[in-house]
PDB file of all heavy atoms in Angstrom:
ATOM      1  N   LEU I 266     -15.649  29.511 -21.642  1.00 97.00           N
ATOM      2  CA  LEU I 266     -17.085  29.730 -21.447  1.00 97.00           C
ATOM      3  C   LEU I 266     -17.390  30.292 -20.043  1.00 97.00           C
ATOM      4  O   LEU I 266     -18.472  30.803 -19.823  1.00 97.00           O
ATOM      5  CB  LEU I 266     -17.860  28.435 -21.604  1.00 97.00           C
ATOM      6  CG  LEU I 266     -17.813  27.752 -22.950  1.00 97.00           C
ATOM      7  CD1 LEU I 266     -18.602  26.454 -22.921  1.00 97.00           C
ATOM      8  CD2 LEU I 266     -18.359  28.658 -24.048  1.00 97.00           C
ATOM      9  N   PHE I 267     -16.413  30.132 -19.132  1.00 96.00           N
ATOM     10  CA  PHE I 267     -16.755  30.347 -17.703  1.00 96.00           C
ATOM     11  C   PHE I 267     -17.462  31.681 -17.404  1.00 96.00           C
ATOM     12  O   PHE I 267     -18.516  31.712 -16.831  1.00 96.00           O
ATOM     13  CB  PHE I 267     -15.489  30.258 -16.840  1.00 96.00           C
ATOM     14  CG  PHE I 267     -15.825  30.198 -15.364  1.00 96.00           C
ATOM     15  CD1 PHE I 267     -16.068  28.982 -14.746  1.00 96.00           C
ATOM     16  CD2 PHE I 267     -15.952  31.349 -14.653  1.00 96.00           C
ATOM     17  CE1 PHE I 267     -16.421  28.949 -13.408  1.00 96.00           C
ATOM     18  CE2 PHE I 267     -16.323  31.321 -13.307  1.00 96.00           C
ATOM     19  CZ  PHE I 267     -16.537  30.138 -12.690  1.00 96.00           C
ATOM     20  N   ASP I 268     -16.861  32.757 -17.898  1.00 96.00           N
ATOM     21  CA  ASP I 268     -17.442  34.055 -17.563  1.00 96.00           C
ATOM     22  C   ASP I 268     -18.702  34.368 -18.344  1.00 96.00           C
ATOM     23  O   ASP I 268     -19.418  35.301 -18.005  1.00 96.00           O
ATOM     24  CB  ASP I 268     -16.379  35.156 -17.786  1.00 96.00           C
ATOM     25  CG  ASP I 268     -15.274  35.074 -16.735  1.00 96.00           C
ATOM     26  OD1 ASP I 268     -15.573  34.684 -15.572  1.00 96.00           O
ATOM     27  OD2 ASP I 268     -14.138  35.351 -17.089  1.00 96.00           O
ATOM     28  N   ARG I 269     -18.934  33.623 -19.367  1.00 97.00           N
ATOM     29  CA  ARG I 269     -20.135  33.839 -20.230  1.00 97.00           C
ATOM     30  C   ARG I 269     -21.367  33.088 -19.730  1.00 97.00           C
ATOM     31  O   ARG I 269     -22.468  33.483 -20.031  1.00 97.00           O
ATOM     32  CB  ARG I 269     -19.835  33.360 -21.666  1.00 97.00           C
ATOM     33  CG  ARG I 269     -18.800  34.241 -22.355  1.00 97.00           C
ATOM     34  CD  ARG I 269     -19.476  35.469 -22.923  1.00 97.00           C
ATOM     35  NE  ARG I 269     -18.540  36.494 -23.263  1.00 97.00           N
ATOM     36  CZ  ARG I 269     -18.830  37.793 -23.243  1.00 97.00           C
ATOM     37  NH1 ARG I 269     -20.044  38.175 -22.856  1.00 97.00           N
ATOM     38  NH2 ARG I 269     -17.974  38.714 -23.588  1.00 97.00           N
ATOM     39  N   MET I 270     -21.125  31.989 -19.001  1.00 97.00           N
ATOM     40  CA  MET I 270     -22.243  31.145 -18.580  1.00 97.00           C
ATOM     41  C   MET I 270     -22.996  31.809 -17.453  1.00 97.00           C
ATOM     42  O   MET I 270     -22.441  32.082 -16.402  1.00 97.00           O
ATOM     43  CB  MET I 270     -21.718  29.793 -18.085  1.00 97.00           C
ATOM     44  CG  MET I 270     -21.050  28.929 -19.138  1.00 97.00           C
ATOM     45  SD  MET I 270     -22.230  28.139 -20.262  1.00 97.00           S
ATOM     46  CE  MET I 270     -23.191  27.127 -19.167  1.00 97.00           C
ATOM     47  N   LYS I 271     -24.318  32.052 -17.646  1.00 98.00           N
ATOM     48  CA  LYS I 271     -25.115  32.699 -16.606  1.00 98.00           C
ATOM     49  C   LYS I 271     -26.413  31.939 -16.417  1.00 98.00           C
ATOM     50  O   LYS I 271     -27.188  31.738 -17.350  1.00 98.00           O
ATOM     51  CB  LYS I 271     -25.437  34.137 -17.043  1.00 98.00           C
ATOM     52  CG  LYS I 271     -24.222  34.966 -17.351  1.00 98.00           C
ATOM     53  CD  LYS I 271     -24.106  36.195 -16.444  1.00 98.00           C
ATOM     54  CE  LYS I 271     -22.725  36.817 -16.452  1.00 98.00           C
ATOM     55  NZ  LYS I 271     -22.497  37.634 -17.623  1.00 98.00           N
ATOM     56  N   GLU I 272     -26.680  31.572 -15.195  1.00 98.00           N
ATOM     57  CA  GLU I 272     -27.956  30.984 -14.852  1.00 98.00           C
ATOM     58  C   GLU I 272     -29.028  32.057 -15.109  1.00 98.00           C
ATOM     59  O   GLU I 272     -28.750  33.262 -14.929  1.00 98.00           O
ATOM     60  CB  GLU I 272     -27.948  30.528 -13.396  1.00 98.00           C
ATOM     61  CG  GLU I 272     -29.030  29.616 -12.971  1.00 98.00           C
ATOM     62  CD  GLU I 272     -30.248  30.382 -12.483  1.00 98.00           C
ATOM     63  OE1 GLU I 272     -30.085  31.525 -12.023  1.00 98.00           O
ATOM     64  OE2 GLU I 272     -31.357  29.807 -12.576  1.00 98.00           O
ATOM     65  N   VAL I 273     -30.203  31.672 -15.547  1.00 98.00           N
ATOM     66  CA  VAL I 273     -31.173  32.683 -16.049  1.00 98.00           C
ATOM     67  C   VAL I 273     -31.480  33.756 -14.993  1.00 98.00           C
ATOM     68  O   VAL I 273     -31.530  34.955 -15.321  1.00 98.00           O
ATOM     69  CB  VAL I 273     -32.436  32.017 -16.636  1.00 98.00           C
ATOM     70  CG1 VAL I 273     -33.176  31.214 -15.589  1.00 98.00           C
ATOM     71  CG2 VAL I 273     -33.362  33.059 -17.244  1.00 98.00           C
ATOM     72  N   SER I 274     -31.686  33.362 -13.756  1.00 98.00           N
ATOM     73  CA  SER I 274     -31.978  34.359 -12.719  1.00 98.00           C
ATOM     74  C   SER I 274     -30.743  35.221 -12.447  1.00 98.00           C
ATOM     75  O   SER I 274     -30.873  36.404 -12.150  1.00 98.00           O
ATOM     76  CB  SER I 274     -32.463  33.697 -11.429  1.00 98.00           C
ATOM     77  OG  SER I 274     -33.589  32.906 -11.659  1.00 98.00           O
ATOM     78  N   GLU I 275     -29.598  34.572 -12.503  1.00 98.00           N
ATOM     79  CA  GLU I 275     -28.317  35.330 -12.317  1.00 98.00           C
ATOM     80  C   GLU I 275     -28.198  36.428 -13.362  1.00 98.00           C
ATOM     81  O   GLU I 275     -27.868  37.590 -13.066  1.00 98.00           O
ATOM     82  CB  GLU I 275     -27.154  34.335 -12.407  1.00 98.00           C
ATOM     83  CG  GLU I 275     -25.779  34.978 -12.299  1.00 98.00           C
ATOM     84  CD  GLU I 275     -24.660  33.998 -12.699  1.00 98.00           C
ATOM     85  OE1 GLU I 275     -24.929  32.911 -13.240  1.00 98.00           O
ATOM     86  OE2 GLU I 275     -23.474  34.369 -12.497  1.00 98.00           O
ATOM     87  N   PHE I 276     -28.542  36.094 -14.599  1.00 98.00           N
ATOM     88  CA  PHE I 276     -28.478  37.031 -15.703  1.00 98.00           C
ATOM     89  C   PHE I 276     -29.454  38.182 -15.465  1.00 98.00           C
ATOM     90  O   PHE I 276     -29.104  39.364 -15.575  1.00 98.00           O
ATOM     91  CB  PHE I 276     -28.769  36.326 -17.024  1.00 98.00           C
ATOM     92  CG  PHE I 276     -28.870  37.266 -18.191  1.00 98.00           C
ATOM     93  CD1 PHE I 276     -27.745  37.781 -18.804  1.00 98.00           C
ATOM     94  CD2 PHE I 276     -30.148  37.633 -18.685  1.00 98.00           C
ATOM     95  CE1 PHE I 276     -27.845  38.645 -19.885  1.00 98.00           C
ATOM     96  CE2 PHE I 276     -30.227  38.504 -19.777  1.00 98.00           C
ATOM     97  CZ  PHE I 276     -29.092  39.015 -20.372  1.00 98.00           C
ATOM     98  N   LEU I 277     -30.686  37.822 -15.110  1.00 98.00           N
ATOM     99  CA  LEU I 277     -31.725  38.866 -14.906  1.00 98.00           C
ATOM    100  C   LEU I 277     -31.374  39.773 -13.726  1.00 98.00           C
ATOM    101  O   LEU I 277     -31.622  40.975 -13.761  1.00 98.00           O
ATOM    102  CB  LEU I 277     -33.097  38.194 -14.729  1.00 98.00           C
ATOM    103  CG  LEU I 277     -33.634  37.457 -15.944  1.00 98.00           C
ATOM    104  CD1 LEU I 277     -34.818  36.591 -15.586  1.00 98.00           C
ATOM    105  CD2 LEU I 277     -33.985  38.438 -17.060  1.00 98.00           C
ATOM    106  N   TRP I 278     -30.832  39.164 -12.661  1.00 98.00           N
ATOM    107  CA  TRP I 278     -30.420  39.968 -11.510  1.00 98.00           C
ATOM    108  C   TRP I 278     -29.296  40.936 -11.885  1.00 98.00           C
ATOM    109  O   TRP I 278     -29.269  42.080 -11.447  1.00 98.00           O
ATOM    110  CB  TRP I 278     -30.009  39.072 -10.318  1.00 98.00           C
ATOM    111  CG  TRP I 278     -29.677  39.890  -9.132  1.00 98.00           C
ATOM    112  CD1 TRP I 278     -28.472  40.180  -8.602  1.00 98.00           C
ATOM    113  CD2 TRP I 278     -30.647  40.568  -8.279  1.00 98.00           C
ATOM    114  NE1 TRP I 278     -28.599  40.963  -7.503  1.00 98.00           N
ATOM    115  CE2 TRP I 278     -29.915  41.244  -7.278  1.00 98.00           C
ATOM    116  CE3 TRP I 278     -32.036  40.703  -8.299  1.00 98.00           C
ATOM    117  CZ2 TRP I 278     -30.485  41.995  -6.264  1.00 98.00           C
ATOM    118  CZ3 TRP I 278     -32.643  41.442  -7.311  1.00 98.00           C
ATOM    119  CH2 TRP I 278     -31.887  42.114  -6.304  1.00 98.00           C
ATOM    120  N   GLY I 279     -28.414  40.470 -12.756  1.00 97.00           N
ATOM    121  CA  GLY I 279     -27.347  41.341 -13.269  1.00 97.00           C
ATOM    122  C   GLY I 279     -27.959  42.544 -14.006  1.00 97.00           C
ATOM    123  O   GLY I 279     -27.497  43.669 -13.850  1.00 97.00           O
ATOM    124  N   LEU I 280     -29.008  42.282 -14.758  1.00 98.00           N
ATOM    125  CA  LEU I 280     -29.721  43.378 -15.453  1.00 98.00           C
ATOM    126  C   LEU I 280     -30.287  44.363 -14.380  1.00 98.00           C
ATOM    127  O   LEU I 280     -30.209  45.571 -14.541  1.00 98.00           O
ATOM    128  CB  LEU I 280     -30.876  42.871 -16.299  1.00 98.00           C
ATOM    129  CG  LEU I 280     -30.523  42.067 -17.564  1.00 98.00           C
ATOM    130  CD1 LEU I 280     -31.829  41.746 -18.344  1.00 98.00           C
ATOM    131  CD2 LEU I 280     -29.553  42.806 -18.446  1.00 98.00           C
ATOM    132  N   TYR I 281     -30.878  43.760 -13.359  1.00 97.00           N
ATOM    133  CA  TYR I 281     -31.450  44.640 -12.300  1.00 97.00           C
ATOM    134  C   TYR I 281     -30.410  45.505 -11.661  1.00 97.00           C
ATOM    135  O   TYR I 281     -30.607  46.727 -11.460  1.00 97.00           O
ATOM    136  CB  TYR I 281     -32.169  43.758 -11.244  1.00 97.00           C
ATOM    137  CG  TYR I 281     -32.651  44.576 -10.052  1.00 97.00           C
ATOM    138  CD1 TYR I 281     -33.838  45.325 -10.181  1.00 97.00           C
ATOM    139  CD2 TYR I 281     -31.986  44.560  -8.862  1.00 97.00           C
ATOM    140  CE1 TYR I 281     -34.284  46.081  -9.101  1.00 97.00           C
ATOM    141  CE2 TYR I 281     -32.452  45.317  -7.771  1.00 97.00           C
ATOM    142  CZ  TYR I 281     -33.598  46.083  -7.930  1.00 97.00           C
ATOM    143  OH  TYR I 281     -34.059  46.820  -6.882  1.00 97.00           O
ATOM    144  N   GLU I 282     -29.276  44.917 -11.350  1.00 96.00           N
ATOM    145  CA  GLU I 282     -28.219  45.686 -10.675  1.00 96.00           C
ATOM    146  C   GLU I 282     -27.690  46.800 -11.590  1.00 96.00           C
ATOM    147  O   GLU I 282     -27.205  47.804 -11.123  1.00 96.00           O
ATOM    148  CB  GLU I 282     -27.095  44.769 -10.185  1.00 96.00           C
ATOM    149  CG  GLU I 282     -27.546  43.917  -9.010  1.00 96.00           C
ATOM    150  CD  GLU I 282     -26.411  43.457  -8.136  1.00 96.00           C
ATOM    151  OE1 GLU I 282     -25.387  42.982  -8.692  1.00 96.00           O
ATOM    152  OE2 GLU I 282     -26.537  43.544  -6.877  1.00 96.00           O
ATOM    153  N   ALA I 283     -27.785  46.556 -12.903  1.00 96.00           N
ATOM    154  CA  ALA I 283     -27.315  47.558 -13.857  1.00 96.00           C
ATOM    155  C   ALA I 283     -28.435  48.561 -14.187  1.00 96.00           C
ATOM    156  O   ALA I 283     -28.266  49.450 -14.998  1.00 96.00           O
ATOM    157  CB  ALA I 283     -26.819  46.892 -15.141  1.00 96.00           C
ATOM    158  N   GLY I 284     -29.573  48.390 -13.527  1.00 97.00           N
ATOM    159  CA  GLY I 284     -30.707  49.274 -13.747  1.00 97.00           C
ATOM    160  C   GLY I 284     -31.405  49.017 -15.091  1.00 97.00           C
ATOM    161  O   GLY I 284     -32.102  49.874 -15.620  1.00 97.00           O
ATOM    162  N   GLU I 285     -31.242  47.817 -15.628  1.00 97.00           N
ATOM    163  CA  GLU I 285     -31.807  47.549 -16.969  1.00 97.00           C
ATOM    164  C   GLU I 285     -32.986  46.550 -16.952  1.00 97.00           C
ATOM    165  O   GLU I 285     -33.475  46.151 -17.983  1.00 97.00           O
ATOM    166  CB  GLU I 285     -30.699  47.004 -17.890  1.00 97.00           C
ATOM    167  CG  GLU I 285     -29.645  48.035 -18.217  1.00 97.00           C
ATOM    168  CD  GLU I 285     -28.403  47.380 -18.830  1.00 97.00           C
ATOM    169  OE1 GLU I 285     -28.503  46.228 -19.268  1.00 97.00           O
ATOM    170  OE2 GLU I 285     -27.370  48.047 -18.899  1.00 97.00           O
ATOM    171  N   LEU I 286     -33.368  46.105 -15.750  1.00 98.00           N
ATOM    172  CA  LEU I 286     -34.445  45.127 -15.738  1.00 98.00           C
ATOM    173  C   LEU I 286     -35.800  45.846 -15.720  1.00 98.00           C
ATOM    174  O   LEU I 286     -35.993  46.808 -15.001  1.00 98.00           O
ATOM    175  CB  LEU I 286     -34.339  44.220 -14.487  1.00 98.00           C
ATOM    176  CG  LEU I 286     -35.358  43.081 -14.445  1.00 98.00           C
ATOM    177  CD1 LEU I 286     -34.927  41.918 -15.340  1.00 98.00           C
ATOM    178  CD2 LEU I 286     -35.517  42.566 -12.978  1.00 98.00           C
ATOM    179  N   ASP I 287     -36.738  45.355 -16.544  1.00 97.00           N
ATOM    180  CA  ASP I 287     -38.090  45.847 -16.501  1.00 97.00           C
ATOM    181  C   ASP I 287     -38.708  45.393 -15.156  1.00 97.00           C
ATOM    182  O   ASP I 287     -38.932  44.196 -14.963  1.00 97.00           O
ATOM    183  CB  ASP I 287     -38.857  45.291 -17.691  1.00 97.00           C
ATOM    184  CG  ASP I 287     -40.304  45.746 -17.736  1.00 97.00           C
ATOM    185  OD1 ASP I 287     -40.800  46.234 -16.704  1.00 97.00           O
ATOM    186  OD2 ASP I 287     -40.938  45.616 -18.791  1.00 97.00           O
ATOM    187  N   THR I 288     -39.006  46.299 -14.266  1.00 97.00           N
ATOM    188  CA  THR I 288     -39.530  45.906 -12.949  1.00 97.00           C
ATOM    189  C   THR I 288     -41.016  46.261 -12.842  1.00 97.00           C
ATOM    190  O   THR I 288     -41.516  46.441 -11.730  1.00 97.00           O
ATOM    191  CB  THR I 288     -38.760  46.596 -11.814  1.00 97.00           C
ATOM    192  OG1 THR I 288     -38.768  48.010 -12.050  1.00 97.00           O
ATOM    193  CG2 THR I 288     -37.368  46.102 -11.732  1.00 97.00           C
ATOM    194  N   ASP I 289     -41.666  46.369 -13.956  1.00 96.00           N
ATOM    195  CA  ASP I 289     -43.094  46.686 -13.943  1.00 96.00           C
ATOM    196  C   ASP I 289     -43.873  45.410 -13.656  1.00 96.00           C
ATOM    197  O   ASP I 289     -44.514  44.837 -14.540  1.00 96.00           O
ATOM    198  CB  ASP I 289     -43.478  47.292 -15.288  1.00 96.00           C
ATOM    199  CG  ASP I 289     -44.919  47.768 -15.296  1.00 96.00           C
ATOM    200  OD1 ASP I 289     -45.487  47.858 -14.213  1.00 96.00           O
ATOM    201  OD2 ASP I 289     -45.413  48.046 -16.387  1.00 96.00           O
ATOM    202  N   PHE I 290     -43.791  44.955 -12.400  1.00 97.00           N
ATOM    203  CA  PHE I 290     -44.416  43.655 -12.054  1.00 97.00           C
ATOM    204  C   PHE I 290     -45.844  43.842 -11.527  1.00 97.00           C
ATOM    205  O   PHE I 290     -46.089  44.744 -10.753  1.00 97.00           O
ATOM    206  CB  PHE I 290     -43.582  42.935 -10.963  1.00 97.00           C
ATOM    207  CG  PHE I 290     -42.249  42.547 -11.407  1.00 97.00           C
ATOM    208  CD1 PHE I 290     -41.105  43.090 -10.827  1.00 97.00           C
ATOM    209  CD2 PHE I 290     -42.074  41.600 -12.428  1.00 97.00           C
ATOM    210  CE1 PHE I 290     -39.828  42.714 -11.198  1.00 97.00           C
ATOM    211  CE2 PHE I 290     -40.793  41.233 -12.827  1.00 97.00           C
ATOM    212  CZ  PHE I 290     -39.664  41.806 -12.210  1.00 97.00           C
ATOM    213  N   GLU I 291     -46.719  42.966 -11.965  1.00 96.00           N
ATOM    214  CA  GLU I 291     -48.017  42.929 -11.327  1.00 96.00           C
ATOM    215  C   GLU I 291     -47.875  42.147 -10.026  1.00 96.00           C
ATOM    216  O   GLU I 291     -47.026  41.254  -9.905  1.00 96.00           O
ATOM    217  CB  GLU I 291     -49.027  42.161 -12.235  1.00 96.00           C
ATOM    218  CG  GLU I 291     -49.326  42.876 -13.527  1.00 96.00           C
ATOM    219  CD  GLU I 291     -50.028  41.958 -14.518  1.00 96.00           C
ATOM    220  OE1 GLU I 291     -50.608  40.929 -14.092  1.00 96.00           O
ATOM    221  OE2 GLU I 291     -49.986  42.262 -15.716  1.00 96.00           O
ATOM    222  N   PRO I 292     -48.706  42.465  -8.988  1.00 96.00           N
ATOM    223  CA  PRO I 292     -48.630  41.702  -7.743  1.00 96.00           C
ATOM    224  C   PRO I 292     -48.957  40.226  -8.008  1.00 96.00           C
ATOM    225  O   PRO I 292     -49.805  39.901  -8.840  1.00 96.00           O
ATOM    226  CB  PRO I 292     -49.706  42.330  -6.853  1.00 96.00           C
ATOM    227  CG  PRO I 292     -50.084  43.617  -7.532  1.00 96.00           C
ATOM    228  CD  PRO I 292     -49.743  43.513  -8.980  1.00 96.00           C
ATOM    229  N   VAL I 293     -48.300  39.367  -7.283  1.00 95.00           N
ATOM    230  CA  VAL I 293     -48.647  37.929  -7.328  1.00 95.00           C
ATOM    231  C   VAL I 293     -48.944  37.542  -5.878  1.00 95.00           C
ATOM    232  O   VAL I 293     -48.031  37.434  -5.057  1.00 95.00           O
ATOM    233  CB  VAL I 293     -47.456  37.089  -7.884  1.00 95.00           C
ATOM    234  CG1 VAL I 293     -47.818  35.597  -7.806  1.00 95.00           C
ATOM    235  CG2 VAL I 293     -47.143  37.511  -9.277  1.00 95.00           C
ATOM    236  N   ASP I 294     -50.224  37.305  -5.601  1.00 94.00           N
ATOM    237  CA  ASP I 294     -50.614  37.079  -4.215  1.00 94.00           C
ATOM    238  C   ASP I 294     -50.485  35.544  -3.899  1.00 94.00           C
ATOM    239  O   ASP I 294     -51.471  34.861  -3.886  1.00 94.00           O
ATOM    240  CB  ASP I 294     -52.044  37.550  -4.003  1.00 94.00           C
ATOM    241  CG  ASP I 294     -52.443  37.436  -2.558  1.00 94.00           C
ATOM    242  OD1 ASP I 294     -51.532  37.186  -1.719  1.00 94.00           O
ATOM    243  OD2 ASP I 294     -53.611  37.594  -2.255  1.00 94.00           O
TER     244      ASP I 294
END
Side-chain angles (χ1 to χ4, degrees):
Chain I
L266 298 178
F267 190 89
D268 290 326
R269 291 278 164 209
M270 295 284 299
K271 304 240 164 78
E272 194 271 335
V273 61
S274 302
E275 177 192 9
F276 173 79
L277 294 167
W278 184 255
L280 291 185
Y281 174 76
E282 289 205 313
E285 292 166 15
L286 185 79
D287 180 344
T288 53
D289 186 13
F290 295 116
E291 295 166 19
V293 176
D294 186 12

